[in-house]
Amino acid sequence: MNFQNERTITENGTCKSPVDIDLFLHYSLIPSVLIILALSFLERRINKTHFDDKIQLLDRRFGFVIPLDLLGTFNNRWTFGFAFGAIANKVMSLFSEEYLPVAVPSWARALGLLVGAIEVGLSYYPIFACLSTNSKIIGSLTGFLYTLTWFIVTMIYITSCPHGQVLGRFENVIFYWPSILCLAFLMGRFVHIFIKFIRILMGADLQNEETCFLPVHQAEHVKRLLRKPVQVQKSWFERKIYNWDPCFKFPSRMIGTTVLSLFCLYIFIILEYSVFATLTQLLDMCEEQMVQMAPDVTWEGYNQTVASFKEFSETFVGVWFFTTFFASAVTVSYIFHILVCYRKHMRRLWIGEKGFLPIKYHKPSSSKCVAAIARYSGWQVAYILWGYLILHIVQCLFGMAFAYAVVFPIKHGQAIIFLKGLGISILTIAIVIVLMALQDLLASRFFLQKKISPEDKKKPLALNNRKAFHNFNYFFFFYNVILGLGACLFRLLCSLILGSWLIARIDRTILQRGYESADMGYNTWIGMIYVDHYHTNPVLVSFCNILLTMSAEKRLKESPAYYTFSNTAGPPTSVKARTRWLLYYTLLKNPRLIIQRKLKEMDDVDLRNTATQSRLVQASVMEAEIRNNQERPIDDLLHQ
């Protein structure tokens, strides 16, 4: 194809690309389905079905293909993160309803969006499936070819039409470079997987077991719990910002959501800039028309209006640019802070601490938790984008208010008037604060009884000088009515600022206590961390791993091959004797358990009471001996 003949690239003109990237997405479903069927044929089901008995050639083929285990995958986390980053442009297209099927009625719009989302997910399904399949050689080869195809098509689309009508020069390069970067990384990753497993087949390398039931970091976490804690001197960064823990890893879902949120936020800021550029062009056009109409207008204040409008336009542009960087920095910090909160919440749940959760969420619904784990990633991206937009708008409003209230009076030579008003405001607020502090001081000095003990830090909540207190309460009642009005407005202002500031934080609710169930984002977060807590708790996983290991050893010992090739020497150990020895050792270390042991059935009540008393005496004697040994000096023990 001769791209130079087909392209008509001009800065302000139109461009016709030799490939339609949206049409290619529709046609990519054909190879996508074929790749999924091929990978499904390579997957073997655990259990046989009636259909397998009829067709012996299948041999339990055509199993389920898993694109990504969003629950407990700790391997290849950044690989899956870049796979999520490759679909960032398509995710943003879903927000604009670009893949909504044609001629969909209004009442079926939600179903049409579902169809479009499934189409986008199916087109990128092979990339995730080839990374997750157990057939690494075929999966890596197929994934490389499929990713390479998307890379070539995207590069052709960008190079043939780099400019656009929204941002102008290099618009498509600005929009698609994150996707190109992620696709290039995935191609390199597929090549690495292919070479690695070829070396394993040739015997040049050993295969590491990546699908271990108990991950290494969780095993290290359990070992650390069994050891005595060691105090380590932490740096300022570790104490104030983030303390890296080698025994904790974020699952692939959290890493992928973080990467996708960053790329989508970048694209969203670019789109917002395009809207802002259009708005500034409209303001400039209005200003030019007002200037052209100035000679024909006889109104004396018209020139002042034109100057005020020009001043407003310049101020708006400056405030928007400043708040763009500030809102972007805050939102990016939220994306990483959510990871910190995830680790903090998971650690609290691991030790059984649920005090940071509302009481109604201490026992959440299992079905809602499972649904929440599926909703989390998509909702997190949406909350980040909407949170940035709302935060940016509110910051722009406060910035314009600050400019008109502070900057313009000083700029126009009205500094004295501004300082006078500022001084009156500060004095009024100071008087209000002093009066509120006075009420607290009077309540502490005159209307509370003295400390019960000199060691107490605070006075008890017991009234003193009741008659004076009633007069104090009566006269301050009228003033507190006026003060309450200001406090109510201050409460509203704080709610507005905090609500807009924390709208992107899905890990905490912005509603009042008792209304948390209305915050669907917070409900999704709670359900997600509960699912992770029940399925990836290191202690629980370690316990299950021990049970599986013991079960496998037991089956191995019971197999005839084990007795045939076993070379163990020495007398066999009796199971009953081993159990008694373990019981003796446990009771020796925990004498109080002797009292809790079950007594033999006795008809005589006196004999039963006598046996209970003897056990109590025996436990007390053993406990006293253990306590004496622990309290004896070390030198006495060494001399023995």
Side-chain angles (χ1 to χ4, degrees):
M1 291 183 294
N2 189 1
F3 299 137
Q4 297 297 331
N5 296 333
E6 295 186 12
R7 289 185 297 177
T8 56
I9 303 177
T10 59
E11 185 173 349
N12 298 323
T14 60
C15 174
K16 182 179 180 181
S17 176
V19 294
D20 187 348
I21 197 167
D22 293 329
L23 184 62
F24 177 78
L25 186 139
H26 299 317
Y27 283 111
S28 67
L29 298 181
I30 299 175
S32 177
V33 172
L34 294 178
I35 293 174
I36 293 173
L37 290 176
L39 295 178
S40 178
F41 177 77
L42 297 176
E43 291 288 336
R44 290 189 177 183
R45 289 173 276 107
I46 298 177
N47 300 321
K48 273 191 174 184
T49 61
H50 183 67
F51 188 74
D52 295 319
D53 296 333
K54 292 183 178 180
I55 304 178
Q56 299 293 335
L57 295 177
L58 290 180
D59 193 19
R60 294 181 286 120
R61 301 284 182 178
F62 289 103
F64 275 104
V65 179
I66 300 176
L68 171 63
D69 182 8
L70 293 175
L71 190 60
T73 301
F74 299 98
N75 298 313
N76 299 325
R77 297 176 298 162
W78 288 105
T79 302
F80 286 111
F82 278 95
F84 275 106
I87 64 175
N89 293 87
K90 304 304 176 185
V91 171
M92 294 302 299
S93 299
L94 291 175
F95 282 107
S96 61
E97 301 182 359
E98 184 175 339
Y99 294 101
L100 184 68
V102 183
V104 175
S106 301
W107 61 268
R109 200 174 190 85
L111 297 177
L113 293 175
L114 176 62
V115 173
I118 292 176
E119 182 183 14
V120 173
L122 190 61
S123 63
Y124 284 91
Y125 194 98
I127 297 178
F128 292 93
C130 290
L131 290 172
S132 302
T133 183
N134 294 325
S135 304
K136 296 297 183 181
I137 296 179
I138 297 178
S140 59
L141 184 60
T142 307
F144 174 79
L145 295 176
Y146 191 79
T147 307
L148 178 63
T149 304
W150 268 106
F151 181 82
I152 294 174
V153 170
T154 308
M155 287 298 296
I156 293 174
Y157 178 76
I158 293 175
T159 55
S160 59
C161 291
H163 312 303
Q165 298 179 356
V166 179
L167 296 179
R169 297 182 62 82
F170 304 107
E171 174 184 325
N172 288 332
V173 178
I174 295 174
F175 275 116
Y176 282 94
W177 75 261
S179 179
I180 291 294
L181 175 65
C182 294
L183 291 174
F185 176 86
L186 291 174
M187 287 191 296
R189 179 58 180 163
F190 280 125
V191 171
H192 176 264
I193 294 175
F194 181 79
I195 295 175
K196 177 182 177 182
F197 279 86
I198 287 295
R199 287 175 55 86
I200 291 175
L201 289 180
M202 296 175 63
D205 200 355
L206 297 177
Q207 182 176 3
N208 295 326
E209 187 64 31
E210 297 183 354
T211 59
C212 181
F213 182 81
L214 178 62
V216 178
H217 69 278
Q218 291 188 346
E220 293 297 327
H221 175 80
V222 177
K223 291 180 181 179
R224 186 171 62 182
L225 294 177
L226 299 176
R227 292 194 296 263
K228 185 178 180 180
V230 180
Q231 296 293 335
V232 180
Q233 187 68 25
K234 297 181 180 180
S235 62
W236 178 87
F237 183 85
E238 293 176 339
R239 286 184 281 105
K240 299 295 184 180
I241 300 178
Y242 184 76
N243 183 20
W244 180 71
D245 186 4
C247 299
F248 185 93
K249 282 187 177 182
F250 294 100
S252 299
R253 178 189 64 257
M254 300 300 298
I255 299 297
T257 305
T258 300
V259 175
L260 182 60
S261 299
L262 290 173
F263 285 149
C264 287
L265 178 63
Y266 165 78
I267 298 173
F268 189 81
I269 293 174
I270 299 300
L271 292 174
E272 186 193 36
Y273 174 77
S274 65
V275 176
F276 171 75
T278 304
L279 182 59
T280 53
Q281 290 178 1
L282 293 176
L283 292 177
D284 293 339
M285 292 174 59
C286 292
E287 182 181 347
E288 291 178 0
Q289 291 180 359
M290 292 176 68
V291 172
Q292 293 175 1
M293 293 172 58
D296 300 332
V297 178
T298 59
W299 179 39
E300 296 180 356
Y302 184 76
N303 292 330
Q304 182 65 29
T305 303
V306 174
S308 300
F309 183 81
K310 183 178 180 180
E311 191 177 50
F312 168 80
S313 179
E314 294 176 353
T315 305
F316 175 71
V317 172
V319 169
W320 187 90
F321 273 108
F322 175 78
T323 54
T324 296
F325 290 103
F326 189 67
S328 302
V330 171
T331 308
V332 171
S333 67
Y334 281 168
I335 294 175
F336 292 102
H337 187 70
I338 287 173
L339 294 177
V340 178
C341 291
Y342 173 82
R343 188 181 71 170
K344 180 173 62 175
H345 291 176
M346 291 302 298
R347 283 177 168 177
R348 289 180 176 180
L349 288 177
W350 287 349
I351 62 177
E353 180 186 347
K354 299 181 181 180
F356 66 99
L357 298 175
I359 298 177
K360 64 177 69 176
Y361 290 113
H362 286 188
K363 293 182 179 180
S365 172
S366 301
S367 58
K368 292 183 179 179
C369 290
V370 174
I373 200 76
R375 287 195 299 260
Y376 169 72
S377 296
W379 283 31
Q380 180 65 83
V381 175
Y383 270 66
I384 289 293
L385 299 182
W386 279 111
Y388 164 79
L389 180 61
I390 295 173
L391 178 62
H392 194 188
I393 293 174
V394 173
Q395 287 181 355
C396 282
L397 294 176
F398 277 97
M400 295 297 294
F402 178 80
Y404 275 93
V406 178
V407 178
F408 287 168
I410 298 176
K411 181 180 179 182
H412 296 156
Q414 300 176 354
I416 298 178
I417 299 176
F418 166 72
L419 293 176
K420 182 178 179 181
L422 181 63
I424 293 174
S425 301
I426 294 176
L427 181 60
T428 303
I429 296 175
I431 292 174
V432 170
I433 294 175
V434 168
L435 290 175
M436 292 179 62
L438 179 62
Q439 296 183 47
D440 296 336
L441 181 63
L442 291 176
S444 175
R445 291 292 183 89
F446 302 103
F447 303 131
L448 286 178
Q449 297 180 9
K450 297 181 179 181
K451 296 180 181 180
I452 299 176
S453 173
E455 298 177 355
D456 294 342
K457 295 182 179 180
K458 296 180 180 180
K459 293 182 178 181
L461 187 56
L463 287 176
N464 193 14
N465 301 322
R466 288 176 176 265
K467 292 183 179 181
F469 171 74
H470 293 321
N471 284 275
F472 165 81
N473 194 14
Y474 174 78
F475 285 107
F476 267 97
F477 162 75
F478 300 97
Y479 177 73
N480 286 329
V481 172
I482 305 174
L483 184 62
L485 178 61
C488 180
L489 296 178
F490 180 75
R491 179 187 185 187
L492 180 62
L493 180 62
C494 290
S495 300
L496 175 62
I497 295 175
L498 292 177
S500 61
W501 197 274
L502 301 175
I503 192 67
R505 293 282 300 276
I506 198 174
D507 60 297
R508 64 186 307 162
T509 180
I510 60 175
L511 301 180
Q512 296 180 356
R513 181 179 297 178
Y515 298 92
E516 298 92 350
S517 57
D519 192 343
M520 293 186 290
Y522 185 65
N523 293 338
T524 300
W525 172 266
I526 296 299
M528 183 268 296
I529 62 175
Y530 262 105
V531 172
D532 282 353
H533 166 57
Y534 280 104
H535 288 79
T536 61
N537 191 313
V539 178
L540 180 61
V541 175
S542 300
F543 176 72
C544 295
N545 184 67
I546 293 173
L547 293 181
L548 292 175
T549 305
M550 294 176 62
S551 178
E553 292 178 353
K554 184 178 180 181
R555 289 196 300 269
L556 180 62
K557 291 180 180 180
E558 293 176 352
S559 62
Y562 178 83
Y563 293 108
T564 303
F565 296 100
S566 178
N567 295 323
T568 56
T573 304
S574 173
V575 177
K576 188 175 182 180
R578 184 173 179 273
T579 304
R580 288 183 173 180
W581 164 250
L582 293 175
L583 175 62
Y584 170 74
Y585 186 79
T586 303
L587 296 179
L588 185 64
K589 295 294 184 181
N590 305 274
R592 281 291 168 181
L593 295 178
I594 298 175
I595 306 174
Q596 305 297 331
R597 294 195 64 196
K598 183 179 179 181
L599 294 172
K600 295 183 179 180
E601 296 183 359
M602 299 179 182
D603 297 333
D604 193 350
V605 179
D606 295 335
L607 293 176
R608 187 181 306 171
N609 294 334
T610 303
T612 304
Q613 293 295 331
S614 64
R615 285 190 176 185
L616 180 60
V617 172
Q618 184 182 4
S620 302
V621 171
M622 293 178 64
E623 205 170 30
E625 291 180 356
I626 293 175
R627 191 183 302 109
N628 292 333
N629 290 332
Q630 291 178 350
E631 294 177 355
R632 290 175 64 183
I634 299 178
D635 296 336
D636 295 347
L637 296 176
L638 292 177
H639 287 307
Q640 289 183 357

